[in-house]
Amino acid sequence: MPVVTTHKDGDVLVVVSDNPPVNALGAAVRQGLAEAMKTAASDDSVKAVVIVGHGRTFFAGADITEFGKPPVEPGLPEVVDLIEASAKPVVAAIHGTALGGGLEVALGCHYRVAVPSAKLGLPEVKLGLLPGAGGTQRLPRVIGVEAALPMIVSGDPISAKTAEAAGLIDRIVGEGSLEPDAIAFAREVASRSDHPVSSKRTDKISGTDPGVFDRFRQENARRLKGFEAPEACIQAVKAAVDLPFAEGLNKERELFMKLVSGTQSAALRHNFFAERAATKIDGIAADIQLIPIKKVGILGAGTMGGGIGMNFLSAGIEVVMVEREQAPLDRGVGVIRKNYENTAKRGRLTPDQVEGAMAKLKPTLSYDDLADCDLVIEAVFENMDVKKEVFGRLDTIVKPGAILASNTSYLNIDQIAAMTRRPESVIGLHFFSPANVMRLLEIVRGARTGGAVLATCMALAKKIGKIAVVAGVCDGFIGNRMLTPRQREANKLILQGAPFDRVDQVLLDFGFPMGPFQMADLAGLDLGWNKETSKGASIRDLLCERDRRGQKNGRGFYDYDEKRNRTPSPEVQQIIREFAAESGEDQREIGDQEILERLLYPMVNEGALILEEHMAQRASDIDVVWLNGYGWPAWTGGPMFWADTVGLGKVVEGLEKNAPHMDKAFRMSALLKSKAAEGGRFNT
Ligand code: CAA
Ligand code: NAI
């Protein structure tokens, strides 16, 4: 069956594309569309054309898997030109998503109708690209620069309603009657003497304020920092205003070709597929029966418990929240309400939605209220004895078959599971703070965790908007485990003479939002520190002993003013020098390259150890963790993809060269070494 078919409805030619799952504009679809346009031109009985997608969606864009491969004719720009050049009016009938090349096809059409739930956007920028089939030239001509710039540069889609208001959609049609409504619309416009041609329009771009581009750059500078594609998008839109259409298209093509062959786009495309690959679990049948989750219990209403609960409340799932005492329970519920109310103040929730979410929350001091929950997530103190006691108790109370999960950051899920008579129902669900905001979820698969339990948690993660990655049971799982060698080396570097603010700066320059010492200040240096037992055995002990607790009291590695502006503390620098002398560390000048290598190469090595020990299913899962949980810059593709671009041989060389200075705990991964020796990569 061809992916593109045509049929006649009276004098309207209906062109149907059905290329599951998302109607991507691969070669066969492009060929089909080109053929259909020829049919429309040669059949005198055809007065108008409707292009419609069957299945989930209108076209969700170019087929991303074709990038980097030899091009197959016809290219998308030619197909769009062919549609636009049709003497007979062409109507795009949009449902689902018209994204990227999909919206560019729609822009080539003379008219666009859409169902109310449709979304329209140009997300190419998120893949490190720009719309390369005339989108940067046609969209501003159709909706003006002020509306087109944010759409193209952010890549975020807009609703059918917003699109109609902007002039991108000519009519919103019935949700269940797209095709007949589009045909009726086509018949209605067929008798008109001329039809709007996007590339020929000037009404929306003439008189564009030339200052709009610089203003846009300034207003979005922070968000766009480090990425190449947004600037290329801005330049292409500017070309739509400054140049005739054909020259603008050339500019768009030139910018597109540069981006598509660059490392950033390769990395961002990797991220797209990595996120999707992470949802696939080795050794579990795709059709496994999932456990229905209608009611979720949360144990502990502290920092994590509250945030975790909000995820489920926001998805319309009932939550029972259990605490030890009334005060922390009230505090936890208060924080949830305040968070929702703040969102409502920003206009992103209605007061009714706030009350609706709160009505689904049942705060209680009784474990017995957890009995009929389908899933209970424990978020009490990070202490094995406490966790063991809690799981033993949960096992006796919560109904058989229900999932018992721990939000532990480091502890052994198998030991926790052993406290129950249902280890197959025990799993780790490691949320990140703030849990209602951060998208990453590490799902920790215990030695005895059942397949249905794992698959249910994976599906649930998608439902609550999380990006989930499966990890094995090891100290710190994937993310925190890799943080450990970085922190170790950061501590070592400052003792050996690298100023702590320089260490932070090197990571900021690489693209991280924060360096290790800024992060330590933010988390609080006194986390887990005890005044009575402190022996001045580490820099942290010494800082806490001098009441340098971090941002919370305005003094940590940095001094903070009332606006939280930071300056490196000379007192701390002196403390480090003295401590280094006492510990017998020689101080020397350390260059930025060595700092970078010593912070990041050991992380790559730890990632390789994680793979070697099968604690992650694939290298790209590790990238997903670091990209979504720890601010690793997206345009480098995550630690493992980045290492591939550096060259694994170079990484091993760097580790061997720096070894004499590195922390003694460092252990080279055999997998990394062997891959480096054979010129291999982690991501193939
Ligand atoms: N090309 C190839 N495969 C694609 C694809 C695309 N454009 N979009 C999605 N897929 C694949 C996914 O990889 C996934 O495959 P698996 O099932 O094998 O993992 C499958 O389609 C389903 O995708 P999702 O799991 O993401 O499904 P969803 O329902 O959650 O989301 C979607 C659907 C909103 C369309 C989302 O897939 C998406 O955002 N896709 C990308 C859209 C995009 O970036 N389009 C622009 C492409 S670039 C372009 O068009 C350039 C140009 O102009 C020349
Ligand atoms: P928290 O100290 O803010 O909250 C813990 C809550 O549990 C307290 O309100 C306490 O009263 C309650 N509690 C303790 N024992 C209880 C019991 N037996 N029954 C019911 N409630 C009980 O701690 P936080 O930060 O929320 O951490 C919870 C868990 O989440 C820990 O395992 C931690 O390692 C993990 N985690 C923490 C992250 C963070 O950034 N804070 C990130 C990811 C995981």
PDB file of all heavy atoms in Angstrom, residues 92 255 351 386 606 628:
ATOM      1  N   ALA A  92      -4.598  22.667   3.350  1.00  0.00           N
ATOM      2  CA  ALA A  92      -4.030  21.727   4.322  1.00  0.00           C
ATOM      3  C   ALA A  92      -5.085  21.477   5.386  1.00  0.00           C
ATOM      4  O   ALA A  92      -5.630  22.429   5.956  1.00  0.00           O
ATOM      5  CB  ALA A  92      -2.778  22.315   4.950  1.00  0.00           C
ATOM      6  N   LEU A 255      22.325  28.636   5.578  1.00  0.00           N
ATOM      7  CA  LEU A 255      22.395  28.499   7.040  1.00  0.00           C
ATOM      8  C   LEU A 255      22.036  27.071   7.457  1.00  0.00           C
ATOM      9  O   LEU A 255      22.656  26.491   8.345  1.00  0.00           O
ATOM     10  CB  LEU A 255      21.441  29.497   7.713  1.00  0.00           C
ATOM     11  CG  LEU A 255      21.851  30.970   7.622  1.00  0.00           C
ATOM     12  CD1 LEU A 255      20.671  31.874   7.957  1.00  0.00           C
ATOM     13  CD2 LEU A 255      23.023  31.259   8.570  1.00  0.00           C
ATOM     14  N   PRO A 351      -8.187  29.128  39.519  1.00  0.00           N
ATOM     15  CA  PRO A 351      -8.427  28.800  40.928  1.00  0.00           C
ATOM     16  C   PRO A 351      -9.172  27.465  41.070  1.00  0.00           C
ATOM     17  O   PRO A 351      -8.908  26.700  41.992  1.00  0.00           O
ATOM     18  CB  PRO A 351      -9.277  29.971  41.421  1.00  0.00           C
ATOM     19  CG  PRO A 351      -8.943  31.101  40.493  1.00  0.00           C
ATOM     20  CD  PRO A 351      -8.628  30.489  39.176  1.00  0.00           C
ATOM     21  N   VAL A 386      15.879   3.351  58.886  1.00  0.00           N
ATOM     22  CA  VAL A 386      14.529   3.930  58.817  1.00  0.00           C
ATOM     23  C   VAL A 386      13.793   3.330  57.620  1.00  0.00           C
ATOM     24  O   VAL A 386      12.639   2.915  57.721  1.00  0.00           O
ATOM     25  CB  VAL A 386      14.610   5.477  58.690  1.00  0.00           C
ATOM     26  CG1 VAL A 386      13.221   6.072  58.540  1.00  0.00           C
ATOM     27  CG2 VAL A 386      15.326   6.078  59.891  1.00  0.00           C
ATOM     28  N   GLU A 606      33.423   6.856  34.594  1.00  0.00           N
ATOM     29  CA  GLU A 606      32.424   6.259  35.502  1.00  0.00           C
ATOM     30  C   GLU A 606      31.221   5.765  34.700  1.00  0.00           C
ATOM     31  O   GLU A 606      30.659   4.706  34.992  1.00  0.00           O
ATOM     32  CB  GLU A 606      31.980   7.304  36.542  1.00  0.00           C
ATOM     33  CG  GLU A 606      31.293   6.739  37.765  1.00  0.00           C
ATOM     34  CD  GLU A 606      32.208   5.879  38.647  1.00  0.00           C
ATOM     35  OE1 GLU A 606      33.405   6.204  38.766  1.00  0.00           O
ATOM     36  OE2 GLU A 606      31.713   4.872  39.197  1.00  0.00           O
ATOM     37  N   ASN A 628      19.089  15.836  31.543  1.00  0.00           N
ATOM     38  CA  ASN A 628      17.812  16.249  32.135  1.00  0.00           C
ATOM     39  C   ASN A 628      17.818  16.397  33.645  1.00  0.00           C
ATOM     40  O   ASN A 628      16.888  16.961  34.209  1.00  0.00           O
ATOM     41  CB  ASN A 628      16.710  15.260  31.721  1.00  0.00           C
ATOM     42  CG  ASN A 628      16.464  15.317  30.237  1.00  0.00           C
ATOM     43  OD1 ASN A 628      15.909  16.290  29.738  1.00  0.00           O
ATOM     44  ND2 ASN A 628      16.925  14.309  29.523  1.00  0.00           N
TER      45      ASN A 628
END
